[in-house]
Amino acid sequence: MHPYDRRRSLAAGVFFLLTFATSIPGALLYGPILTDPHYVVAGPTAPVLAGALLEIALVIANLGTALVLYPVLRRTSPSLALAYVVARVMESALIAVGILSLLAVVTLRENGAASGGTEAAAVVVAQALVALHGWTFLLGPGFVVGLGNGLILGWMLFRAGLVPRGWAVLGMIAGPLVSLSGVAVLLGAYDQVSPWSAVATLPEFVWEAFLGIYLSVRGFRAGSPDATRAPTTVTAATR
């Protein structure tokens, strides 16, 4: 394997592992603001701020996976490689909107917006912002990630043979399951936090965990032509 690609596979694996290290603790730290309707009146701000910092790191890790994988994936299909980058950017943008919505609630809390007889209004505004965060989570990690990180990335890794193809097939199956589950939640079939949603999300969780571990430890499969092909340089003579 070309050293260039080994560095990229290692970086991609580390970024995938960072998505787990930031998203799960971040969601737990958001607990008070997401579950307490009266958080804006007397809720703790430190856990929410810490969760926001972790999610900012999550956005960086998401974009990192796209940036380091794009030069390798485009050897197989430039258009699909670009589609993967776009999906990752879209997912990260939705996460960023969710972060801002919760930080706005923290601002209301710290500025005492619920004082002076305006508690009811502050609670309504805060709940609207929390609802916005819920929708961004559904459309980003709950829908777009299935298309980008699951279906598109799984297909490209399968086609190029960069990872064991059985695992790539899992990605192609897991991605649509996540997206279909997101549509089901959108249509009111079941709640976003439900056993059905958990079952539909589990294969994608396993797929991304595999990518983090495999790419960090093993790298791209050495027998793959796309993995061993050295990166090309576009010169003025070939443009």
mmCIF file of all heavy atoms in Angstrom, residues 163-192:
data_model
loop_
_atom_site.group_PDB
_atom_site.id
_atom_site.type_symbol
_atom_site.label_atom_id
_atom_site.label_comp_id
_atom_site.label_asym_id
_atom_site.label_seq_id
_atom_site.Cartn_x
_atom_site.Cartn_y
_atom_site.Cartn_z
ATOM 1 N N VAL A 163 -12.235 -2.461 1.686
ATOM 2 C CA VAL A 163 -12.462 -3.168 2.956
ATOM 3 C C VAL A 163 -13.091 -4.517 2.602
ATOM 4 O O VAL A 163 -13.546 -4.711 1.464
ATOM 5 C CB VAL A 163 -13.399 -2.368 3.900
ATOM 6 C CG1 VAL A 163 -12.804 -1.006 4.243
ATOM 7 C CG2 VAL A 163 -14.789 -2.204 3.294
ATOM 8 N N PRO A 164 -13.122 -5.477 3.534
ATOM 9 C CA PRO A 164 -13.794 -6.745 3.246
ATOM 10 C C PRO A 164 -15.217 -6.505 2.755
ATOM 11 O O PRO A 164 -15.972 -5.740 3.358
ATOM 12 C CB PRO A 164 -13.776 -7.452 4.602
ATOM 13 C CG PRO A 164 -12.566 -6.914 5.283
ATOM 14 C CD PRO A 164 -12.482 -5.483 4.861
ATOM 15 N N ARG A 165 -15.576 -7.137 1.668
ATOM 16 C CA ARG A 165 -16.832 -6.795 0.997
ATOM 17 C C ARG A 165 -18.070 -7.167 1.791
ATOM 18 O O ARG A 165 -19.119 -6.556 1.617
ATOM 19 C CB ARG A 165 -16.849 -7.428 -0.396
ATOM 20 C CG ARG A 165 -15.826 -6.761 -1.311
ATOM 21 C CD ARG A 165 -15.953 -7.132 -2.746
ATOM 22 N NE ARG A 165 -15.145 -6.253 -3.574
ATOM 23 C CZ ARG A 165 -15.050 -6.357 -4.896
ATOM 24 N NH1 ARG A 165 -15.715 -7.314 -5.523
ATOM 25 N NH2 ARG A 165 -14.301 -5.515 -5.573
ATOM 26 N N GLY A 166 -17.962 -8.162 2.662
ATOM 27 C CA GLY A 166 -19.093 -8.471 3.525
ATOM 28 C C GLY A 166 -19.440 -7.303 4.423
ATOM 29 O O GLY A 166 -20.621 -7.005 4.661
ATOM 30 N N TRP A 167 -18.423 -6.623 4.928
ATOM 31 C CA TRP A 167 -18.662 -5.448 5.765
ATOM 32 C C TRP A 167 -19.214 -4.292 4.940
ATOM 33 O O TRP A 167 -20.078 -3.540 5.411
ATOM 34 C CB TRP A 167 -17.368 -5.031 6.460
ATOM 35 C CG TRP A 167 -17.023 -5.889 7.627
ATOM 36 C CD1 TRP A 167 -16.135 -6.920 7.669
ATOM 37 C CD2 TRP A 167 -17.585 -5.800 8.940
ATOM 38 N NE1 TRP A 167 -16.101 -7.480 8.924
ATOM 39 C CE2 TRP A 167 -16.985 -6.809 9.726
ATOM 40 C CE3 TRP A 167 -18.537 -4.969 9.529
ATOM 41 C CZ2 TRP A 167 -17.300 -7.005 11.060
ATOM 42 C CZ3 TRP A 167 -18.859 -5.159 10.869
ATOM 43 C CH2 TRP A 167 -18.247 -6.169 11.616
ATOM 44 N N ALA A 168 -18.727 -4.142 3.717
ATOM 45 C CA ALA A 168 -19.253 -3.077 2.860
ATOM 46 C C ALA A 168 -20.730 -3.303 2.547
ATOM 47 O O ALA A 168 -21.518 -2.354 2.482
ATOM 48 C CB ALA A 168 -18.443 -3.001 1.565
ATOM 49 N N VAL A 169 -21.115 -4.571 2.367
ATOM 50 C CA VAL A 169 -22.527 -4.892 2.156
ATOM 51 C C VAL A 169 -23.343 -4.486 3.384
ATOM 52 O O VAL A 169 -24.464 -3.962 3.256
ATOM 53 C CB VAL A 169 -22.701 -6.395 1.861
ATOM 54 C CG1 VAL A 169 -24.181 -6.791 1.896
ATOM 55 C CG2 VAL A 169 -22.108 -6.737 0.506
ATOM 56 N N LEU A 170 -22.786 -4.712 4.574
ATOM 57 C CA LEU A 170 -23.474 -4.273 5.792
ATOM 58 C C LEU A 170 -23.728 -2.772 5.746
ATOM 59 O O LEU A 170 -24.822 -2.306 6.104
ATOM 60 C CB LEU A 170 -22.635 -4.622 7.023
ATOM 61 C CG LEU A 170 -23.164 -4.066 8.359
ATOM 62 C CD1 LEU A 170 -24.528 -4.673 8.686
ATOM 63 C CD2 LEU A 170 -22.176 -4.338 9.490
ATOM 64 N N GLY A 171 -22.730 -1.994 5.300
ATOM 65 C CA GLY A 171 -22.920 -0.548 5.193
ATOM 66 C C GLY A 171 -24.025 -0.180 4.227
ATOM 67 O O GLY A 171 -24.829 0.716 4.501
ATOM 68 N N MET A 172 -24.091 -0.893 3.092
ATOM 69 C CA MET A 172 -25.129 -0.601 2.100
ATOM 70 C C MET A 172 -26.522 -0.957 2.604
ATOM 71 O O MET A 172 -27.517 -0.391 2.147
ATOM 72 C CB MET A 172 -24.825 -1.348 0.798
ATOM 73 C CG MET A 172 -23.636 -0.796 0.040
ATOM 74 S SD MET A 172 -23.439 -1.558 -1.587
ATOM 75 C CE MET A 172 -22.844 -3.194 -1.134
ATOM 76 N N ILE A 173 -26.600 -1.908 3.518
ATOM 77 C CA ILE A 173 -27.887 -2.272 4.111
ATOM 78 C C ILE A 173 -28.222 -1.356 5.278
ATOM 79 O O ILE A 173 -29.359 -0.892 5.427
ATOM 80 C CB ILE A 173 -27.866 -3.738 4.581
ATOM 81 C CG1 ILE A 173 -27.709 -4.675 3.384
ATOM 82 C CG2 ILE A 173 -29.136 -4.086 5.368
ATOM 83 C CD1 ILE A 173 -27.506 -6.126 3.759
ATOM 84 N N ALA A 174 -27.212 -1.072 6.099
ATOM 85 C CA ALA A 174 -27.433 -0.281 7.309
ATOM 86 C C ALA A 174 -27.853 1.146 6.988
ATOM 87 O O ALA A 174 -28.733 1.704 7.651
ATOM 88 C CB ALA A 174 -26.154 -0.273 8.154
ATOM 89 N N GLY A 175 -27.248 1.736 5.956
ATOM 90 C CA GLY A 175 -27.573 3.118 5.613
ATOM 91 C C GLY A 175 -29.041 3.333 5.281
ATOM 92 O O GLY A 175 -29.711 4.175 5.885
ATOM 93 N N PRO A 176 -29.586 2.586 4.308
ATOM 94 C CA PRO A 176 -31.014 2.739 4.011
ATOM 95 C C PRO A 176 -31.925 2.454 5.199
ATOM 96 O O PRO A 176 -32.985 3.073 5.326
ATOM 97 C CB PRO A 176 -31.227 1.719 2.883
ATOM 98 C CG PRO A 176 -29.902 1.614 2.217
ATOM 99 C CD PRO A 176 -28.908 1.735 3.318
ATOM 100 N N LEU A 177 -31.524 1.526 6.086
ATOM 101 C CA LEU A 177 -32.342 1.266 7.276
ATOM 102 C C LEU A 177 -32.461 2.515 8.136
ATOM 103 O O LEU A 177 -33.543 2.852 8.636
ATOM 104 C CB LEU A 177 -31.721 0.127 8.095
ATOM 105 C CG LEU A 177 -32.046 -1.308 7.674
ATOM 106 C CD1 LEU A 177 -31.307 -2.294 8.561
ATOM 107 C CD2 LEU A 177 -33.552 -1.560 7.727
ATOM 108 N N VAL A 178 -31.326 3.214 8.328
ATOM 109 C CA VAL A 178 -31.354 4.447 9.122
ATOM 110 C C VAL A 178 -32.243 5.485 8.458
ATOM 111 O O VAL A 178 -33.070 6.146 9.107
ATOM 112 C CB VAL A 178 -29.928 4.997 9.302
ATOM 113 C CG1 VAL A 178 -29.963 6.392 9.921
ATOM 114 C CG2 VAL A 178 -29.116 4.068 10.195
ATOM 115 N N SER A 179 -32.077 5.658 7.146
ATOM 116 C CA SER A 179 -32.868 6.662 6.432
ATOM 117 C C SER A 179 -34.361 6.326 6.455
ATOM 118 O O SER A 179 -35.209 7.207 6.657
ATOM 119 C CB SER A 179 -32.373 6.784 4.990
ATOM 120 O OG SER A 179 -31.036 7.239 4.956
ATOM 121 N N LEU A 180 -34.701 5.055 6.243
ATOM 122 C CA LEU A 180 -36.107 4.650 6.286
ATOM 123 C C LEU A 180 -36.690 4.830 7.685
ATOM 124 O O LEU A 180 -37.854 5.211 7.835
ATOM 125 C CB LEU A 180 -36.239 3.196 5.841
ATOM 126 C CG LEU A 180 -36.010 2.931 4.356
ATOM 127 C CD1 LEU A 180 -36.021 1.438 4.070
ATOM 128 C CD2 LEU A 180 -37.063 3.650 3.507
ATOM 129 N N SER A 181 -35.863 4.565 8.695
ATOM 130 C CA SER A 181 -36.327 4.788 10.065
ATOM 131 C C SER A 181 -36.590 6.270 10.299
ATOM 132 O O SER A 181 -37.571 6.643 10.958
ATOM 133 C CB SER A 181 -35.286 4.272 11.063
ATOM 134 O OG SER A 181 -35.694 4.518 12.396
ATOM 135 N N GLY A 182 -35.724 7.126 9.758
ATOM 136 C CA GLY A 182 -35.948 8.565 9.872
ATOM 137 C C GLY A 182 -37.250 8.995 9.217
ATOM 138 O O GLY A 182 -37.988 9.827 9.749
ATOM 139 N N VAL A 183 -37.545 8.425 8.058
ATOM 140 C CA VAL A 183 -38.810 8.727 7.382
ATOM 141 C C VAL A 183 -39.981 8.243 8.220
ATOM 142 O O VAL A 183 -41.012 8.935 8.339
ATOM 143 C CB VAL A 183 -38.832 8.070 5.984
ATOM 144 C CG1 VAL A 183 -40.212 8.220 5.347
ATOM 145 C CG2 VAL A 183 -37.767 8.695 5.088
ATOM 146 N N ALA A 184 -39.850 7.061 8.824
ATOM 147 C CA ALA A 184 -40.921 6.522 9.662
ATOM 148 C C ALA A 184 -41.190 7.433 10.860
ATOM 149 O O ALA A 184 -42.348 7.688 11.211
ATOM 150 C CB ALA A 184 -40.559 5.116 10.136
ATOM 151 N N VAL A 185 -40.118 7.935 11.470
ATOM 152 C CA VAL A 185 -40.292 8.866 12.592
ATOM 153 C C VAL A 185 -40.946 10.148 12.102
ATOM 154 O O VAL A 185 -41.843 10.708 12.754
ATOM 155 C CB VAL A 185 -38.936 9.170 13.255
ATOM 156 C CG1 VAL A 185 -39.082 10.269 14.307
ATOM 157 C CG2 VAL A 185 -38.364 7.910 13.901
ATOM 158 N N LEU A 186 -40.516 10.642 10.948
ATOM 159 C CA LEU A 186 -41.077 11.867 10.386
ATOM 160 C C LEU A 186 -42.582 11.729 10.144
ATOM 161 O O LEU A 186 -43.353 12.669 10.372
ATOM 162 C CB LEU A 186 -40.357 12.199 9.081
ATOM 163 C CG LEU A 186 -40.794 13.468 8.350
ATOM 164 C CD1 LEU A 186 -40.449 14.701 9.179
ATOM 165 C CD2 LEU A 186 -40.132 13.555 6.979
ATOM 166 N N LEU A 187 -43.003 10.547 9.720
ATOM 167 C CA LEU A 187 -44.416 10.305 9.423
ATOM 168 C C LEU A 187 -45.218 9.886 10.654
ATOM 169 O O LEU A 187 -46.412 9.641 10.560
ATOM 170 C CB LEU A 187 -44.548 9.236 8.340
ATOM 171 C CG LEU A 187 -43.951 9.601 6.971
ATOM 172 C CD1 LEU A 187 -44.100 8.445 6.001
ATOM 173 C CD2 LEU A 187 -44.611 10.859 6.410
ATOM 174 N N GLY A 188 -44.543 9.791 11.808
ATOM 175 C CA GLY A 188 -45.243 9.488 13.049
ATOM 176 C C GLY A 188 -45.472 8.014 13.308
ATOM 177 O O GLY A 188 -46.313 7.663 14.149
ATOM 178 N N ALA A 189 -44.740 7.135 12.608
ATOM 179 C CA ALA A 189 -44.931 5.699 12.824
ATOM 180 C C ALA A 189 -44.490 5.282 14.218
ATOM 181 O O ALA A 189 -45.095 4.412 14.837
ATOM 182 C CB ALA A 189 -44.173 4.901 11.764
ATOM 183 N N TYR A 190 -43.415 5.876 14.703
ATOM 184 C CA TYR A 190 -42.934 5.648 16.069
ATOM 185 C C TYR A 190 -42.033 6.799 16.474
ATOM 186 O O TYR A 190 -41.658 7.633 15.637
ATOM 187 C CB TYR A 190 -42.208 4.300 16.205
ATOM 188 C CG TYR A 190 -41.159 4.019 15.159
ATOM 189 C CD1 TYR A 190 -39.881 4.582 15.235
ATOM 190 C CD2 TYR A 190 -41.434 3.157 14.094
ATOM 191 C CE1 TYR A 190 -38.917 4.311 14.280
ATOM 192 C CE2 TYR A 190 -40.469 2.878 13.142
ATOM 193 C CZ TYR A 190 -39.215 3.454 13.239
ATOM 194 O OH TYR A 190 -38.265 3.181 12.290
ATOM 195 N N ASP A 191 -41.704 6.866 17.761
ATOM 196 C CA ASP A 191 -40.890 7.959 18.279
ATOM 197 C C ASP A 191 -39.429 7.782 17.890
ATOM 198 O O ASP A 191 -38.957 6.668 17.637
ATOM 199 C CB ASP A 191 -41.005 8.041 19.804
ATOM 200 C CG ASP A 191 -42.395 8.465 20.253
ATOM 201 O OD1 ASP A 191 -43.074 9.148 19.455
ATOM 202 O OD2 ASP A 191 -42.789 8.106 21.380
ATOM 203 N N GLN A 192 -38.719 8.915 17.894
ATOM 204 C CA GLN A 192 -37.308 8.874 17.557
ATOM 205 C C GLN A 192 -36.511 8.059 18.573
ATOM 206 O O GLN A 192 -35.549 7.381 18.221
ATOM 207 C CB GLN A 192 -36.758 10.302 17.472
ATOM 208 C CG GLN A 192 -35.376 10.395 16.862
ATOM 209 C CD GLN A 192 -35.008 11.834 16.546
ATOM 210 O OE1 GLN A 192 -35.795 12.755 16.764
ATOM 211 N NE2 GLN A 192 -33.808 12.039 16.039
#
